[in-house]
């Protein structure tokens, strides 16, 4: 019986020593602090080069149509109608701007009124126009 007690005691002591070694206070954890990226660490792709197009003002109306995925220049005109989508449009002065297209970036100088029925357009102007927006997710920056 004493061999059995000695074996059980030896196993218990060995197990206790093993567990103490794993959880001892001498254990160290090497973790480096997480660094927050700075603006110079973040890289963004330059905007894509778009094919360029120019729209004329004819009889007081400039129509931007079927110029998807293009950079469009529009001169001063009484009325500008934009039915195209996914375009970058730079325009001059207009009494009236109508946008039925979607996902356009439009920069306008002086505009008296803006009517938007398309969705997700961003319009930036230097003026304070009257705005009628029945589309969704459009933004007008003044």
């Amino acid at each position: 019986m004493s061999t059995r007690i000695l074996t059980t005691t030896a196993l218990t002591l060995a197990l206790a020593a093993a567990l103490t070694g794993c959880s001892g206070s001498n254990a160290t954890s090497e973790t480096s602090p997480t660094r927050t990226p700075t603006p110079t660490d973040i890289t963004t792709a330059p905007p894509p080069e778009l094919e360029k197009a120019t729209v004329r003002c004819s009889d007081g109306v400039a129509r931007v149509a079927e110029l998807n995925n293009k950079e469009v220049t529009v001169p001063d005109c009484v009325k500008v109608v934009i039915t195209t989508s996914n375009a970058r449009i730079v325009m001059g002065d207009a009494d009236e701007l109508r946008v039925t297209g979607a996902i356009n970036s439009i920069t306008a100088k002086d505009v008296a009124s803006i009517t938007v029925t398309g969705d997700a357009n961003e319009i930036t102007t230097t003026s304070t126009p009257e705005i009628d927006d029945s589309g969704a997710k459009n933004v007008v920056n003044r």
Side-chain angles (χ1 to χ4, degrees), residues 4 9 19 36-39 54 59-60 71 75 81 83 85 96 98 101 108 115 120 125 133-134 139:
R4 191 181 220 184
T9 305
L19 290 175
T36 303
T38 64
T54 301
D59 295 325
E71 185 172 309
V81 179
T83 59
S85 293
E96 182 180 356
R98 291 188 173 269
T115 302
T125 181
D133 182 359
S134 61
V139 176

Side-chain angles (χ1 to χ4, degrees), residues 12-27:
T12 304
L13 289 174
L15 183 59
L19 290 175
T20 302
C22 289
S23 63
S25 62
N26 291 337

